[in-house]
Amino acid sequence: MKVAKFGGSSLASGKQLEKVFQIVVSDPERKVVVVSAPGKRFQEDIKVTDLLIECAEQCLQNQDPKETLEAVLERYAAIAEECHLPDGVIEEIYNDLAGRLASDKSKPDRFIDLLKASGEDNNAKLVAAYFRERGVEATYVDPKEAGLLVSAEPGNAQALPEAYDRLFSLRERSGIIIFPGFFGYSEEGEVYTFSRSGSDITGSILANALRVNLYENFTDVDAVYSVNPSIVKKPKEIKELTYREMRELSYAGFSVLHDEALVPAFRAGIPVQIKNTNNPAAPGTRIVYERDNTNGPVIGIASDEGFCSIYVSKYLMNREIGFGRKLLGILEDFGLSYEHTPSGIDDVSVILRENQLDEKIEAEITQRIKTELHADEVKIEQSLALIMVVGEGMRHNVGTMARASKALAKARVNIEMINQGSSEVSMMFGVKEVDEKRAVQAIYDEFFAAVTV
């Protein structure tokens, strides 16, 4: 048995849905299909999920959501018309949305989750109807009925342990199961969504719960590339990488797979195959527990911008017990999460997403660190990009850090900070955002210019 998850671009139109149908029926092992909400049909298009968020926000601001709601319904109607589905399918979707819009708005986060989840939920109903129209036994399965229990955390739900046992009973169902991604239900019966792009998470949870042989994740690229193709022309394709490598790369900017999605599959030892809906014959990229390190020390390079650093310097910091705890405690008081903490003997930097800060918070944090920790210097630096160099082979190769640093120096990119992952499968370089693309190109040329991955 396989679980096959299809992303928004794979389900954006009737033409795409036909491709999904052919892929699923071509392999009788594909018994469970997880669907996203319809994505973009073209570059300037708007994802259905974004329309639903806008619709929810309009309701909460006492604005008329009619125009946005019509845009959502038009997306489903266009797919239904292209696939020659009966009018009853769209009527069911309209009634569902009307019911959600009329629900309790006293808890805005929960109301937004309820609206967001309708994108996947209604698309699953439409996909199941299309499969049946084509003469295939297919059933839409409600996550509540199936037992996908999650924590009551709006926009950041986690599957509860008991959900896996409940979901296992889906194996007994006949035909093809069409399951909506992105959300589950709390023990109180309320809808809560996973973090954005969370349909990947749903697929991984089902793969674990159903103890399948393979979790296939269909998207719009032939494979995972060693670097972002928008930065480096014709980058190397990655045929195989480990869960740990993929998670590091996803966290650092690879958008092909949600960084949390691998955890359930990893725990169950289930391989994940990245495939292209538009080119299903392509082998794709396989994500496994272990692989042979035959490609050299680096498997991929990822980058992301929008970071800042809080640099703190104090003489004899290393002798002061509890300094790090107190520093992070100040950030906790402001509700801030951090990404990295590279440090020296007398200094430490805390890397955060800069969208968490404003001028007022920056001033208050700086003052508290100076006053409470008696720091010699506190400096906040904005507009940083983080570049993650990833590879299991780094644990067995000497000089990887030196090669990367030399490549950046040759490209005249100043390194703001360096941090080596404790797992020894990744290293992080902080650079100015304006230098990001040049830095990525330089590191890629160093490790991949003459290497076949």
Side-chain angles (χ1 to χ4, degrees):
M1 178 184 284
K2 298 177 182 177
V3 169
K5 178 264 176 181
F6 291 89
S9 61
S10 300
L11 297 161
S13 66
K15 182 180 179 181
Q16 289 297 100
L17 181 49
E18 166 63 17
K19 294 178 185 178
V20 169
F21 174 79
Q22 295 296 341
I23 289 169
V24 173
V25 299
S26 69
D27 185 349
E29 288 289 299
R30 293 181 178 126
K31 301 288 289 182
V32 181
V33 177
V34 177
V35 303
S36 297
K40 291 185 177 184
R41 296 162 292 186
F42 45 87
Q43 185 61 38
E44 298 77 21
D45 202 10
I46 303 175
K47 296 178 180 180
V48 165
T49 300
D50 290 327
L51 288 171
L52 289 165
I53 293 171
E54 182 181 348
C55 192
E57 290 173 344
Q58 287 171 340
C59 288
L60 291 170
Q61 295 166 10
N62 295 317
Q63 299 175 5
D64 187 355
K66 181 181 178 182
E67 187 175 331
T68 310
L69 177 61
E70 287 177 352
V72 172
L73 290 168
E74 185 277 329
R75 292 296 305 277
Y76 290 110
I79 297 171
E81 182 179 354
E82 200 175 344
C83 295
H84 308 292
L85 295 177
D87 293 339
V89 173
I90 299 305
E91 185 178 349
E92 182 181 359
I93 292 174
Y94 172 80
N95 291 334
D96 174 82
L97 284 169
R100 291 175 192 250
L101 288 169
S103 63
D104 180 26
K105 301 176 184 62
S106 62
K107 296 182 179 179
D109 288 344
R110 273 178 30 188
F111 177 73
I112 291 174
D113 266 16
L114 184 65
L115 261 291
K116 280 194 299 185
S118 71
E120 280 72 13
D121 201 33
N122 285 317
N123 208 30
K125 295 170 187 175
L126 187 152
V127 171
Y130 177 67
F131 273 53
R132 291 192 296 270
E133 193 74 10
R134 295 293 301 271
V136 173
E137 182 185 1
T139 307
Y140 155 80
V141 173
D142 183 349
K144 186 176 185 178
E145 173 201 351
L148 180 47
L149 292 175
V150 299
S151 59
E153 299 174 84
N156 193 37
Q158 308 288 320
L160 299 180
E162 54 266 38
Y164 293 90
D165 291 334
R166 298 189 183 201
L167 291 166
F168 182 75
S169 63
L170 292 176
R171 288 185 67 99
E172 301 170 6
R173 301 205 181 196
S174 62
I176 295 171
I177 292 169
I178 310 296
F179 202 100
F182 192 34
F183 73 96
Y185 285 83
S186 68
E187 292 176 303
E188 292 72 36
E190 301 287 345
V191 171
Y192 289 93
T193 65
F194 300 118
S195 51
R196 194 68 190 264
S197 300
S199 292
D200 291 341
I201 300 174
T202 303
S204 189
I205 290 168
L206 287 171
N208 179 310
L210 298 174
R211 301 168 196 171
V212 301
N213 302 320
L214 181 67
Y215 170 32
E216 296 177 306
N217 195 291
F218 284 86
T219 180
D220 55 5
V221 294
D222 280 347
V224 176
Y225 295 100
S226 54
V227 71
N228 188 338
S230 69
I231 297 178
V232 176
K233 292 181 179 179
K234 297 182 179 179
K236 304 287 185 182
E237 292 185 2
I238 302 174
K239 296 177 181 178
E240 187 175 68
L241 73 167
T242 66
Y243 293 108
R244 186 160 44 181
E245 289 170 330
M246 188 66 216
R247 178 159 160 72
E248 293 271 7
L249 290 168
S250 296
Y251 157 77
F254 272 34
S255 59
V256 73
L257 191 66
H258 193 293
D259 66 314
E260 295 179 23
L262 292 171
V263 177
F266 167 78
R267 288 173 176 163
I270 297 167
V272 179
Q273 192 82 23
I274 307 296
K275 300 276 285 182
N276 189 351
T277 303
N278 302 313
N279 185 20
T285 297
R286 196 172 183 88
I287 305 169
V288 295
Y289 190 82
E290 291 181 331
R291 67 176 179 86
D292 293 330
N293 294 314
T294 57
N295 63 288
V298 176
I299 193 75
I301 305 160
S303 65
D304 198 9
E305 57 185 28
F307 294 93
C308 68
S309 71
I310 302 175
Y311 171 80
V312 182
S313 175
K314 184 179 182 181
Y315 183 58
L316 296 179
M317 179 190 296
N318 64 311
R319 302 281 296 275
E320 188 172 333
I321 295 172
F323 188 91
R325 175 183 58 77
K326 294 172 186 175
L327 174 60
L328 295 179
I330 291 173
L331 300 185
E332 184 180 359
D333 289 343
F334 286 89
L336 304 178
S337 62
Y338 72 96
E339 308 291 326
H340 301 277
T341 55
S343 62
I345 298 174
D346 294 324
D347 52 32
V348 60
S349 291
V350 183
I351 314 301
L352 309 90
R353 291 279 180 181
E354 64 183 354
N355 60 8
Q356 299 181 91
L357 302 179
D358 56 31
E359 289 186 9
K360 183 174 182 294
I361 292 175
E362 284 186 26
E364 291 178 1
I365 287 175
T366 301
Q367 185 59 42
R368 283 193 59 181
I369 294 173
K370 287 181 176 178
T371 302
E372 297 175 25
L373 303 184
H374 308 290
D376 298 325
E377 183 182 4
V378 181
K379 183 171 62 176
I380 297 180
E381 190 163 5
Q382 304 282 358
S383 302
L384 296 177
L386 298 187
I387 300 170
M388 195 75 75
V389 181
V390 177
E392 296 274 2
M394 288 195 293
R395 292 186 294 175
H396 312 291
N397 283 264
V398 176
T400 306
M401 178 75 76
R403 287 178 63 186
S405 300
K406 184 178 178 180
L408 292 174
K410 187 177 180 181
R412 302 185 66 81
V413 174
N414 185 52
I415 301 172
E416 302 293 328
M417 67 196 70
I418 298 175
N419 195 29
Q420 173 81 50
S422 59
S423 63
E424 296 184 23
V425 301
S426 68
M427 59 181 67
M428 181 272 290
F429 296 90
V431 302
K432 292 290 189 182
E433 285 182 356
V434 294
D435 295 327
E436 177 189 357
K437 292 183 178 180
R438 192 152 44 96
V440 170
Q441 182 73 62
I443 297 173
Y444 179 84
D445 290 343
E446 171 66 29
F447 290 101
F448 291 96
V451 178
T452 300
V453 179

